[in-house]
């Protein structure tokens, strides 16, 4: 195995698209190491190799140990690592984005920074979850009320469909075993969905903290995205697992959810949903190549890597002298032009 320093850096074009990756891989009671561009999981039964670029989220359960080199290759691959246990998700750690363009996070920031467009995106998120309703004109309070009613209705419908009694959402943070079987399954499904949402948000280079429904948390946007699929994937899978039996609710829910995510192509769907919500209609996202510019006045972009000091010319502006641009800057400052 070559050393990390002797291996060339992986470019975004060499990485697996987030929509083509495994939704998540769960490991417990093993040692995770690196072998070339794969991670290895070693336990009493032997060593398993997992290509790092195919992993969306790596869930590390109780009894796992992971080396620095394993974390390095996961970071290079844009994977998300989640430390999880019987008491729930404990910590999120993300690798670099699979894109080098800031176009999507800039679009997210623009939409988030304006109260009107922020509400527009929140309404679009509701419409995405419940396409049979039109939230146009709804206030935030009305959106929250509608969403709460739909989720309650989903619990009741799944209870009737599977024959599993539902007595309401009751759980104690940090105490997974305190809930009944349906609540444990719903919690386990939610934990996995948060990790998957974090995978896609990180891969696309979006800001996890700039939420449109949730607010005030470093993962507000992740919570927004995870909720997209609560009523059509997360809750139904949880009730189906409980209907099969009360044993090992957590592990069985994770496996069932993984299979459902893979068969429904959820990662690709999640990518499309985020891009549709954030990218203006008709706008095109740039490719994944390096594209670095400097921002000038009136929204103009000029070439980076150039000296814009006195006497320099700028080929991006037809070779005009920079002092001419500086004169224009003075007019901008004086309010003559903008």
């Amino acid at each position: 195995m070559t050393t990390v320093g002797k291996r060339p850096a992986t470019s975004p074009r060499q990485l697996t698209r987030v929509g083509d990756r495994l939704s998540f891989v769960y490991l417990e009671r093993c040692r995770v190491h690196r072998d070339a561009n794969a991670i290895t999981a070693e336990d009493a039964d032997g060593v398993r190799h997992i290509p790092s670029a195919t992993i969306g989220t790596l869930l590390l359960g109780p009894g796992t140990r992971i080396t620095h080199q394993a974390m390095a290759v996961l970071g290079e691959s844009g994977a998300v690592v989640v430390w999880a246990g019987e008491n729930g998700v404990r910590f999120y750690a993300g690798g670099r984005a699979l894109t080098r363009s800031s176009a999507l996070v800039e679009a997210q920031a623009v939409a988030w920074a304006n109260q009107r467009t922020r509400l527009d995106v929140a309404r679009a998120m509701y419409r995405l979850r419940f396409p049979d309703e039109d939230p146009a004109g709804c206030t935030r309070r009305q959106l929250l009320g509608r969403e709460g009613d739909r989720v309650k209705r989903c619990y009741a419908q799944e209870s009737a469909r599977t024959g599993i009694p539902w007595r309401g959402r009751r759980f104690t943070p940090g105490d997974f075993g305190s809930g009944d079987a349906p609540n444990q399954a719903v919690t386990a499904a939610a934990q996995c969905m948060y990790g998957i949402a974090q995978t896609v948000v990180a891969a696309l280079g979006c800001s996890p903290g700039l939420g449109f429904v949730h607010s005030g948390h470093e993962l507000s946007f992740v919570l927004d995205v995870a909720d997209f699929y609560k009523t059509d994937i997360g809750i139904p899978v949880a009730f189906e697992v409980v209907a099969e039996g009360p044993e090992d609710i957590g592990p069985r829910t994770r496996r069932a959810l993984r299979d459902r995510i893979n068969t429904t192509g959820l990662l690709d769907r999640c990518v499309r949903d985020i891009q549709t919500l954030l990218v203006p209609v008709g706008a095109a996202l740039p490719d994944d190549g390096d594209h670095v510019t400097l921002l000038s006045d009136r929204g103009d972009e000029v070439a980076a890597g150039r000296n814009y000091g006195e006497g320099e010319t700028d080929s991006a502006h037809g070779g005009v002298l920079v002092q001419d641009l500086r004169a224009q800057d003075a007019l901008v400052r004086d309010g003559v032009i903008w």
Side-chain angles (χ1 to χ4, degrees):
M1 181 175 70
T2 60
T3 63
V4 174
K6 293 182 179 179
R7 281 190 291 268
T10 308
S11 71
R13 292 188 181 278
Q14 294 173 291
L15 299 176
T16 306
R17 291 188 325 114
V18 63
D20 294 334
R21 295 181 176 220
L22 299 173
S23 55
F24 61 87
V25 175
Y26 177 78
L27 300 175
E28 64 180 14
R29 296 176 178 83
C30 64
R31 184 173 186 269
V32 183
H33 193 46
R34 173 180 187 164
D35 184 1
N37 285 323
I39 63 168
T40 61
E42 182 178 3
D43 59 13
D45 296 327
V47 179
R48 298 175 179 84
H49 286 70
I50 308 170
S52 61
T54 65
I55 299 173
T57 300
L58 178 63
L59 297 174
L60 297 178
T64 53
R65 291 182 297 166
I66 187 165
T67 65
H68 181 276
Q69 289 195 21
M71 287 300 302
V73 72
L74 289 165
E76 292 170 1
S77 303
V80 172
V81 180
V82 178
W83 274 260
E86 289 87 357
N87 293 336
V89 171
R90 288 298 192 189
F91 180 75
Y92 287 90
R96 72 186 186 191
L98 297 186
T99 176
R100 288 181 177 171
S101 169
S102 63
L104 203 56
V105 69
E106 289 180 6
Q108 178 188 9
V110 168
W112 178 90
N114 180 282
Q115 290 292 338
R116 180 184 57 80
T117 55
R118 194 174 179 182
L119 178 55
D120 288 341
V121 175
R123 289 169 177 156
M125 287 179 168
Y126 186 90
R127 189 179 295 111
L128 181 70
R129 295 178 62 183
F130 309 113
D132 58 328
E133 289 191 39
D134 183 9
C138 286
T139 65
R140 286 192 173 276
R141 183 64 184 84
Q142 290 170 334
L143 288 176
L144 294 176
R146 285 193 179 192
E147 192 267 351
D149 290 341
R150 292 297 295 257
V151 172
K152 287 181 180 178
R153 193 185 312 168
C154 178
Y155 284 131
Q157 291 172 343
E158 292 305 316
S159 175
R161 181 176 71 89
T162 59
I164 299 299
W166 178 251
R167 300 177 180 87
R169 186 74 173 108
R170 298 182 179 89
F171 68 99
T172 302
D175 188 2
F176 182 79
S178 64
D180 58 16
N183 273 283
Q184 288 183 17
V186 170
T187 298
Q191 291 168 357
C192 291
M193 294 303 294
Y194 293 149
I196 292 161
Q198 172 73 348
T199 297
V200 178
V201 168
L204 294 177
C206 294
S207 171
L210 299 184
F212 295 88
V213 176
H214 293 83
S215 182
H217 192 274
E218 62 177 337
L219 297 175
S220 292
F221 188 57
V222 172
L223 301 178
D224 285 353
V225 173
D227 277 355
F228 293 171
Y229 317 108
K230 178 188 293 184
T231 55
D232 64 338
I233 293 180
I235 294 175
V237 167
F239 274 84
E240 290 166 8
V241 168
V242 177
E244 294 172 357
E247 301 83 13
D248 299 323
I249 293 295
R252 288 174 45 236
T253 300
R254 286 191 294 267
R255 289 193 294 268
L257 190 62
R258 178 198 59 201
D259 294 342
R260 184 69 56 85
I261 288 167
N262 290 337
T263 57
T264 59
L266 182 65
L267 291 184
D268 251 340
R269 176 182 166 188
C270 190
V271 170
R272 292 194 303 269
D273 289 343
I274 292 175
Q275 291 177 338
T276 300
L277 288 167
L278 299 181
V279 179
V281 177
L285 290 173
D287 59 29
D288 288 332
D290 287 330
H291 178 69
V292 182
T293 61
L294 301 177
L295 193 61
S296 186
D297 294 295
R298 297 179 294 179
D300 290 339
E301 294 182 354
V302 296
R306 296 178 180 275
N307 189 321
Y308 289 94
E310 195 74 25
E312 299 291 333
T313 61
D314 177 21
S315 60
H317 284 77
V320 298
L321 288 175
V322 169
Q323 55 257 42
D324 293 336
L325 295 176
R326 291 163 67 93
Q328 176 177 295
D329 292 342
L331 294 175
V332 171
R333 288 194 301 271
D334 294 338
V336 178
I337 61 174
W338 68 289

